[in-house]
Coordinates of all heavy atoms in Angstrom, one line a residue:
I1 N -7.3 -4.7 9.6 CA -5.9 -4.7 9.3 C -5.6 -5.2 8.0 O -4.5 -5.1 7.3 CB -5.2 -5.6 10.3 CG1 -3.6 -5.2 10.4 CG2 -5.3 -7.1 10.0 CD1 -3.4 -3.8 11.1
Y2 N -6.7 -5.8 7.3 CA -6.6 -6.2 5.9 C -6.4 -5.0 4.9 O -5.9 -5.3 3.8 CB -7.8 -7.1 5.6 CG -7.8 -7.7 4.1 CD1 -6.8 -8.7 3.8 CD2 -8.6 -7.2 3.1 CE1 -6.8 -9.2 2.6 CE2 -8.6 -7.8 1.8 CZ -7.6 -8.7 1.6 OH -7.5 -9.3 0.3
I3 N -6.7 -3.9 5.3 CA -6.5 -2.7 4.5 C -5.0 -2.6 4.2 O -4.7 -2.1 3.0 CB -7.0 -1.4 5.3 CG1 -8.5 -1.5 5.4 CG2 -6.5 -0.2 4.5 CD1 -9.1 -0.3 6.2
A4 N -4.2 -3.1 5.1 CA -2.7 -3.1 4.8 C -2.4 -4.0 3.5 O -1.3 -3.7 2.8 CB -1.9 -3.5 6.0
D5 N -3.2 -5.0 3.4 CA -3.0 -6.0 2.2 C -3.1 -5.2 0.9 O -2.4 -5.3 -0.1 CB -3.8 -7.1 2.3 CG -3.3 -8.1 3.4 OD1 -3.4 -7.7 4.5 OD2 -2.9 -9.2 3.1
A6 N -4.2 -4.3 0.9 CA -4.4 -3.5 -0.2 C -3.3 -2.4 -0.5 O -2.9 -2.2 -1.6 CB -5.7 -2.8 -0.1
A7 N -3.0 -1.9 0.6 CA -1.9 -0.8 0.5 C -0.5 -1.5 0.0 O 0.2 -0.9 -0.7 CB -1.6 -0.2 1.8
L8 N -0.2 -2.8 0.5 CA 1.0 -3.4 0.1 C 0.9 -3.5 -1.5 O 1.9 -3.4 -2.2 CB 1.1 -4.8 0.9 CG 2.3 -5.7 0.3 CD1 3.6 -5.0 0.6 CD2 2.2 -7.0 1.0
Y9 N -0.2 -4.0 -2.0 CA -0.4 -4.2 -3.4 C -0.3 -2.9 -4.1 O 0.5 -2.9 -5.1 CB -1.8 -4.8 -3.7 CG -2.1 -4.9 -5.1 CD1 -1.6 -6.1 -5.9 CD2 -3.0 -4.0 -5.8 CE1 -1.9 -6.2 -7.2 CE2 -3.2 -4.2 -7.1 CZ -2.7 -5.3 -7.8 OH -2.9 -5.5 -9.2
L10 N -0.7 -1.8 -3.6 CA -0.6 -0.5 -4.3 C 0.8 0.0 -4.2 O 1.3 0.7 -5.1 CB -1.6 0.5 -3.6 CG -3.0 0.2 -3.8 CD1 -3.9 1.2 -2.9 CD2 -3.4 0.5 -5.3
M11 N 1.6 -0.3 -3.1 CA 3.0 0.1 -3.2 C 3.7 -0.4 -4.3 O 4.6 0.2 -4.8 CB 3.6 -0.6 -1.8 CG 3.4 0.1 -0.5 SD 4.1 -0.9 0.8 CE 5.8 -0.9 0.4
K12 N 3.4 -1.6 -4.9 CA 4.1 -2.2 -5.9 C 3.5 -1.9 -7.2 O 4.2 -1.7 -8.2 CB 4.1 -3.7 -5.8 CG 4.7 -4.2 -4.5 CD 6.1 -4.0 -4.3 CE 6.7 -4.5 -3.1 NZ 8.2 -4.2 -2.9
H13 N 2.1 -1.6 -7.3 CA 1.6 -1.4 -8.6 C 1.1 0.1 -8.9 O 0.9 0.4 -10.1 CB 0.2 -2.3 -8.7 CG 0.6 -3.7 -8.8 ND1 0.9 -4.4 -9.8 CD2 0.8 -4.6 -7.7 CE1 1.2 -5.7 -9.6 NE2 1.2 -5.9 -8.4
K14 N 1.1 0.9 -7.8 CA 1.0 2.4 -8.0 C 1.9 3.1 -7.3 O 1.5 3.7 -6.4 CB -0.5 2.7 -7.6 CG -1.5 2.3 -8.6 CD -2.8 3.0 -8.3 CE -3.9 2.5 -9.5 NZ -5.2 3.2 -9.4
P15 N 3.1 3.1 -7.6 CA 4.2 3.7 -6.8 C 4.1 5.1 -6.7 O 4.6 5.8 -5.9 CB 5.6 3.3 -7.7 CG 5.1 2.9 -9.1 CD 3.8 2.3 -8.8
E16 N 3.3 5.8 -7.7 CA 2.9 7.2 -7.6 C 2.3 7.6 -6.4 O 2.4 9.0 -6.1 CB 2.3 7.6 -8.8 CG 0.9 7.1 -9.1 CD 0.8 5.8 -9.7 OE1 1.9 5.1 -9.9 OE2 -0.3 5.5 -10.2
L17 N 1.8 6.8 -5.8 CA 1.0 7.0 -4.4 C 2.0 7.3 -3.3 O 1.7 7.9 -2.3 CB 0.1 5.9 -4.1 CG -1.2 5.8 -4.9 CD1 -2.0 4.5 -4.5 CD2 -2.1 7.0 -4.5
G18 N 3.3 6.8 -3.5 CA 4.3 7.1 -2.5 C 4.2 6.3 -1.3 O 4.6 6.7 -0.1
I19 N 3.5 5.2 -1.2 CA 3.4 4.3 -0.1 C 4.7 3.8 0.3 O 5.2 3.0 -0.5 CB 2.2 3.3 -0.2 CG1 0.9 4.0 -0.4 CG2 2.2 2.4 1.1 CD1 -0.3 3.0 -0.7
K20 N 5.1 3.9 1.5 CA 6.4 3.3 1.9 C 6.2 2.3 3.1 O 7.1 1.4 3.2 CB 7.5 4.4 2.4 CG 7.6 5.5 1.4 CD 8.3 5.0 0.1 CE 8.6 6.2 -0.8 NZ 9.1 5.6 -2.0
N21 N 5.1 2.3 3.7 CA 4.8 1.4 4.7 C 3.3 1.2 4.6 O 2.5 2.2 4.8 CB 5.3 1.8 6.0 CG 5.0 1.0 7.3 OD1 3.9 0.4 7.3 ND2 6.1 0.9 8.1
P22 N 2.8 0.0 4.5 CA 1.4 -0.2 4.4 C 0.5 0.0 5.6 O -0.7 0.0 5.7 CB 1.2 -1.8 4.1 CG 2.4 -2.4 4.6 CD 3.6 -1.4 4.5
Y23 N 1.2 0.4 6.7 CA 0.5 0.7 8.0 C 0.6 2.2 8.2 O 0.1 2.7 9.2 CB 1.1 0.0 9.2 CG 1.1 -1.5 9.0 CD1 2.2 -2.1 8.7 CD2 -0.1 -2.2 9.1 CE1 2.2 -3.6 8.4 CE2 -0.1 -3.6 8.9 CZ 1.1 -4.4 8.5 OH 1.0 -5.6 8.2
A24 N 1.2 2.9 7.3 CA 1.4 4.4 7.4 C 0.7 5.1 6.1 O 1.4 5.2 5.2 CB 2.8 4.9 7.5
L25 N -0.6 5.4 6.2 CA -1.4 5.8 5.1 C -1.9 7.3 5.3 O -2.7 7.5 6.3 CB -2.4 4.8 4.7 CG -2.0 3.4 4.4 CD1 -3.3 2.6 4.2 CD2 -1.0 3.3 3.3
D26 N -1.5 8.2 4.5 CA -2.1 9.6 4.5 C -3.5 9.4 3.8 O -4.0 8.4 3.4 CB -1.3 10.6 4.0 CG -0.9 10.4 2.5 OD1 -1.7 9.9 1.8 OD2 0.2 10.8 2.0

């Protein structure tokens, strides 16, 4: 589940990835 912490960080620092929810990753 710690992968979500990385996804949360990327949400803010790499918005071009389009992450809207750190538990919903394509």
Side-chain angles (χ1 to χ4, degrees):
I1 206 66
Y2 184 67
I3 294 173
D5 290 62
L8 174 62
Y9 178 77
L10 292 172
M11 280 175 61
K12 304 296 183 179
H13 294 272
K14 286 195 174 182
E16 64 272 17
L17 287 169
I19 299 174
K20 303 301 181 185
N21 182 315
Y23 306 101
L25 305 177
D26 61 31

